[in-house]
C-alpha cells in the first residue's frame, strides 16, 4: 500500500531538524570516558549555517563532555562578518569564551 509523500516544511525547518538531531547525536556519544574535542580551523571561511550549528552546540548547557576549539584569522573579518556576528551572539548569551591571540610567527619562532 503506497504511503503519502513526506511533507515539505521548507529549508528553515529542515535546518532546525538537522541541528536538533546533530545535538542529540553529540550528546549520545560525548561521555565521561570518551569526551569530544572538536577543533575547526579557518572559521572566517565557514558558511552561516555551519556557524549556526557550532553556536547551537556551544550554547547547549545540557551538552557535557564536549569542548569546541576554533581558530580564525582576525585580519580577514570585520564587525559585519557572519563569524563576528555569531561570536557576539555567544558573548551576549554568556557562553564562556577564551581568546588566545597568536601573532604571525617568524622562521625564528
Amino acid at each position: 500500500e503506497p504511503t503519502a509523500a513526506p511533507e515539505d516544511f521548507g529549508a528553515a525547518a529542515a535546518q532546525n531538524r538537522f541541528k536538533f538531531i546533530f545535538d542529540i547525536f553529540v550528546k549520545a556519544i560525548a561521555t565521561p570516558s570518551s569526551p569530544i574535542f572538536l577543533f575547526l580551523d579557518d572559521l572566517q571561511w565557514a558558511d552561516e549555517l555551519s556557524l549556526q550549528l557550532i553556536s547551537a552546540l556551544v550554547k547547549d548547557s545540557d551538552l557535557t563532555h564536549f569542548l569546541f576549539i576554533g581558530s580564525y584569522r582576525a585580519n580577514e573579518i570585520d564587525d559585519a562578518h557572519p563569524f563576528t556576528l555569531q561570536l557576539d551572539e555567544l558573548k551576549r548569551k554568556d557562553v564562556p569564551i577564551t581568546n588566545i591571540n597568536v601573532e604571525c610567527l617568524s622562521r625564528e619562532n
Side-chain angles (χ1 to χ4, degrees):
E1 179 172 315
T3 60
E7 287 190 47
D8 182 12
F9 292 106
Q15 292 165 6
N16 287 335
R17 281 193 306 274
F18 179 76
K19 285 189 274 189
F20 177 73
I21 296 299
F22 194 76
D23 184 67
I24 290 173
F25 171 71
V26 173
K27 285 178 182 172
I29 63 172
T31 64
S33 61
S34 297
I36 294 178
F37 298 90
L38 176 60
F39 173 75
L40 295 177
D41 191 17
D42 290 326
L43 287 173
Q44 74 277 2
W45 294 333
D47 64 273
E48 190 169 345
L49 294 177
S50 297
L51 293 171
Q52 289 175 9
L53 179 60
I54 295 165
S55 180
L57 288 173
V58 299
K59 285 191 296 191
D60 187 347
S61 60
D62 294 330
L63 181 56
T64 58
H65 314 296
F66 173 79
L67 175 66
F68 176 75
I69 302 171
S71 71
Y72 65 97
R73 298 176 189 182
N75 63 331
E76 294 188 21
I77 62 172
D78 59 20
D79 291 341
H81 193 280
F83 177 73
T84 305
L85 299 175
Q86 285 293 332
L87 199 56
D88 291 345
E89 171 73 14
L90 293 173
K91 290 175 184 175
R92 280 193 300 278
K93 300 279 184 180
D94 293 326
V95 173
I97 298 173
T98 301
N99 290 312
I100 302 172
N101 294 319
V102 179
E103 300 296 323
C104 294
L105 298 176
S106 66
R107 291 189 184 262
E108 293 80 35
N109 294 340

